[in-house]
Amino acid sequence: MTVELRSVRRATVPRETAKGRVSLGMIALYAQVGAYVVFLAAPIVMVVLLSFTAGEFAIFPPEGLSLRWYGPALAMPGFIDSLVLSLQLAAQAATLSLLLGVSAALGLARTRFRGRQALLAGIMSPLVVPTIVSSLALLQFFVGANLREASWNLLVGHVIITLPYVVRTVLASFEVFDWSLVDTARVLGAGPVRAFWRVTLPVIRPGVLAGGIFSFLVSFDSFTISVFLVDSQSVTLPVRVFNYILTQLDPRIAALSALLIYGSIAVLVVSDRLIGTSRLRGF
Amino acid sequence: MARLARTKRIGPTGHGWLLLPVVLVLLAFFALPLATVVVYSVGRSTFGQVYIPDVTLHNYVLVLTSPTHLAVLTRTLKLGLIVTAVALIVGYPCAYLMARGRPWLRSALLVAVLLPLFVSVVVRAYGWEIVLGLEGPVNKLLVGLRLTDQPVKFLYSELGIVIGLVHVYSAFMVLPLSSVLQKIDPQLEDAARSLGAGPLTVFWRIILPLSVPGIAAGSMLVFTLTAAAYVTPSLLGGAGINVMTTLVVQQIKLLVDYPLGSAIAIVLVVITLLVVGAYNGFLASRAGVYRRAQP
């Protein structure tokens, strides 16, 4: 899935219009894809639209335009706490996943042994096992082991679900990695750590970066695993917003959701600049 | 493959210890908890006692035979198939344009398809509640155009679940599909056209058969993701409509029946593994074709 768009030969849709004849099939194709794009954008655009309402209710059509709900949205109880917690958690989970994942990918890429494929499948299995199942399993495990510190439990849960992304993206970078570079560095006197920092890491950097960004995003956005591991002290942002949506109806929710959408779009743009949208296809 | 052989010869082994931290973490916090679920699933529970150690298949029999649980299982599979089919049908033209369109169109479509994935599941569900609600713009439009007399109840139904899941998971159909479509030589289409085939014939006889690997990969992903989805079904499906994930949570959190909830969870995992296994079997069966398609 991580095929670079640019490397593929430029093939374009045959343009009947160039000959002055518009194909009915082409019109249908573009119309269908247009409708699909509208469908994809609809709920997101609608939330943003209603967040600007001047009225008292988040209903369509919005009554007038204003920014009056954004201030109260930020002031909702617990919002800032949850935002800080989620950002911290995402940063911690991404860091830990990178440490564990890069070392695992290095081990997998450099070592051949019996059962390597099985081990790789095992490391990837948190992606295959439905998150709801691993979340409940983890919850039962923590309760059974009497581990009740929610912030630690959340971190463990998030690392488990973000780890496969790091291993996958970093392992993909190793596939085109020329190991003789490291061997050369070693022959020329670099120690293993220095060889890793100066040779291996710069080459696999895009994979590491992509893995780190995925982990951060997946953790920040993760709802299913968090909803079972939070306690009243540590509520992550998605869980907080979920509780708001269930209990509040005013446009503050629309403004809050819109803020999250701006964040998502910013992340999408930044990751495009940083690692290329095409690489995000592996997401 | 040649590279692997070379690495083996040149590269020193002994990097295996790098795998140790991951293996330990996954054993402790993934394998062990899952094993606990398996142990729970063969246990018993009575009123007032969450779990009684036992080795019985009673819970599995219940999941697979009792009408209420069987209905949930069937609904999960049915929704999986519907969402997969709808994602394929609505996503295919988009994947085609992504593979063959001008560069700006490709990027624009890629962003459009990825956008729902980047927006929080909670916010997406909230957006659908606004768009499809009884007072929402879609219903206002339908009533305004006199297409219906009464507002359509999109939400809190299986339809709501399908819409919500197609919205986010069709990306997993479009992306592998467009990768595969990109690898199909456009000259094949030109050749067929110049030999007199119409656009539909070209599609049915050339593009569709060659895109089967993409369809298979996308279907596997969409089906397993749909079966595993929890938030969207619980928010857009409403109270009466259980799927396996919501039933697991109900059993464990509300009814505190750990053994039965665990058994449902294990059945869900087995279904997922069967689908992934079937996909791997498919890949193996056409390994030759698949490898040649790689650049």
Side-chain angles (χ1 to χ4, degrees):
Chain A
M1 273 206 281
T2 46
V3 176
E4 290 282 336
L5 282 176
R6 276 159 237 138
S7 65
V8 177
R9 196 184 133 205
R10 294 264 159 85
T12 45
V13 173
R15 270 167 289 143
E16 313 285 287
T17 43
K19 295 172 206 155
R21 192 165 60 88
V22 179
S23 147
L24 216 61
M26 278 296 137
I27 295 177
L29 179 67
Y30 278 95
Q32 197 279 341
V33 174
Y36 176 57
V37 171
V38 169
F39 165 74
L40 291 174
I44 298 159
V45 171
M46 191 58 64
V47 168
V48 172
L49 192 65
L50 292 191
S51 73
F52 293 121
T53 187
E56 297 295 318
F57 303 100
I59 50 166
F60 185 83
E63 303 167 32
L65 287 176
S66 85
L67 291 171
R68 61 178 282 214
W69 294 107
Y70 279 79
L74 288 171
M76 285 183 84
F79 170 70
I80 297 294
D81 290 346
S82 292
L83 177 67
V84 170
L85 175 74
S86 276
L87 288 173
Q88 271 177 353
L89 190 60
Q92 290 166 346
T95 311
L96 265 180
S97 281
L98 278 179
L99 285 175
L100 290 167
V102 172
S103 92
L106 198 59
L108 282 167
R110 201 96 213 251
T111 323
R112 304 291 137 191
F113 54 92
R114 223 178 234 288
R116 181 179 174 275
Q117 280 304 319
L119 184 60
L120 180 59
I123 293 175
M124 289 299 161
S125 56
L127 283 185
V128 179
V129 172
T131 315
I132 189 85
V133 177
S134 24
S135 315
L136 283 168
L138 210 48
L139 175 70
Q140 289 179 352
F141 173 77
F142 285 140
V143 171
N146 206 19
L147 294 166
R148 296 184 190 278
E149 183 56 44
S151 52
W152 283 104
N153 295 353
L154 281 167
L155 181 58
V156 170
H158 283 214
V159 167
I160 297 293
I161 54 167
T162 54
L163 198 52
Y165 292 100
V166 176
V167 175
R168 188 161 70 183
T169 50
V170 177
L171 210 50
S173 318
F174 274 126
E175 263 169 26
V176 288
F177 186 74
D178 186 354
W179 286 104
S180 60
L181 289 175
V182 178
D183 297 334
T184 311
R186 295 299 303 278
V187 167
L188 293 174
V193 177
R194 195 174 148 86
F196 174 77
W197 276 107
R198 300 293 294 273
V199 180
T200 314
L201 197 58
V203 178
I204 61 166
R205 206 183 66 102
V208 174
L209 208 56
I213 291 177
F214 285 172
S215 298
F216 190 91
L217 286 179
V218 169
S219 163
F220 187 78
D221 204 27
S222 127
F223 178 83
T224 307
I225 199 145
S226 304
V227 78
F228 294 106
L229 300 178
V230 294
D231 63 10
S232 55
Q233 301 302 312
S234 325
V235 180
T236 63
L237 191 59
V239 179
R240 180 79 72 185
V241 175
F242 178 80
N243 292 339
Y244 288 155
I245 288 177
L246 287 187
T247 53
Q248 313 277 330
L249 289 166
D250 59 78
R252 282 184 303 172
I253 307 303
L256 202 59
S257 302
L259 284 171
L260 289 181
I261 291 172
Y262 305 148
S264 311
I265 292 173
V267 167
L268 191 59
V269 171
V270 169
S271 13
D272 180 36
R273 288 285 162 271
L274 227 50
I275 56 178
T277 324
S278 50
R279 204 180 289 274
L280 293 173
R281 304 170 60 129
F283 193 13
Chain B
M1 290 299 115
R3 183 177 294 124
L4 296 189
R6 206 183 58 206
T7 314
K8 192 175 183 179
R9 197 155 35 83
I10 298 174
T13 49
H15 286 71
W17 61 271
L18 286 166
L19 286 159
L20 201 61
V22 171
V23 170
L24 289 180
V25 166
L26 285 179
L27 278 181
F29 298 114
F30 186 68
L32 187 60
L34 279 184
T36 320
V37 175
V38 176
V39 172
Y40 273 130
S41 75
V42 294
R44 284 182 294 122
S45 78
T46 50
F47 193 72
Q49 206 169 351
V50 172
Y51 167 68
I52 303 166
D54 196 356
V55 180
T56 165
L57 288 177
H58 172 76
N59 300 305
Y60 288 96
V61 173
L62 202 61
V63 175
L64 298 172
T65 55
S66 97
T68 44
H69 294 124
L70 200 56
V72 173
L73 178 63
T74 332
R75 178 182 292 129
T76 306
L77 298 177
K78 186 182 82 181
L79 284 174
L81 290 175
I82 293 175
V83 171
T84 307
V86 174
L88 177 62
I89 293 166
V90 301
Y92 204 109
C94 179
Y96 182 78
L97 278 191
M98 248 164 95
R100 294 290 157 85
R102 316 269 188 80
W104 68 265
L105 186 63
R106 294 176 187 190
S107 313
L109 289 177
L110 186 60
V111 168
V113 168
L114 286 177
L115 186 62
L117 283 176
F118 276 74
V119 174
S120 167
V121 59
V122 178
V123 172
R124 268 186 272 125
Y126 175 64
W128 281 122
E129 282 178 16
I130 297 174
V131 174
L132 296 178
L134 293 179
E135 299 279 311
V138 170
N139 265 321
K140 281 193 172 139
L141 189 70
L142 289 177
V143 174
L145 292 173
R146 301 199 182 283
L147 289 171
T148 55
D149 299 332
Q150 299 255 309
V152 182
K153 192 169 174 282
F154 290 106
L155 296 172
Y156 317 117
S157 64
E158 291 187 9
L159 181 62
I161 301 178
V162 171
I163 292 173
L165 291 178
V166 168
H167 180 237
V168 56
Y169 290 150
S170 57
F172 293 94
M173 181 67 83
V174 171
L175 298 181
L177 202 48
S178 77
S179 287
V180 170
L181 286 170
Q182 235 165 27
K183 289 181 201 135
I184 301 175
D185 192 339
Q187 287 187 339
L188 281 175
E189 286 168 56
D190 296 343
R193 293 298 292 271
S194 68
L195 291 171
L200 278 181
T201 316
V202 172
F203 175 73
W204 280 109
R205 302 284 296 272
I206 294 174
I207 301 175
L208 190 62
L210 285 174
S211 63
V212 166
I215 297 176
S219 303
M220 184 270 287
L221 288 169
V222 175
F223 187 91
T224 51
L225 287 166
T226 301
Y230 165 67
V231 185
T232 308
S234 58
L235 281 178
L236 298 180
I241 300 176
N242 262 327
V243 291
M244 290 185 79
T245 50
T246 57
L247 188 63
V248 171
V249 176
Q250 199 179 62
Q251 291 295 337
I252 289 183
K253 290 211 110 175
L254 290 175
L255 306 174
V256 207
D257 189 341
Y258 278 33
L260 186 57
S262 302
I264 302 166
I266 297 298
V267 172
L268 180 62
V269 173
V270 170
I271 291 173
T272 310
L273 291 180
L274 283 177
V275 175
V276 175
Y279 173 69
N280 286 336
F282 163 82
L283 278 192
S285 76
R286 28 188 310 148
V289 185
Y290 192 70
R291 213 163 283 153
R292 240 175 285 135
Q294 301 281 325

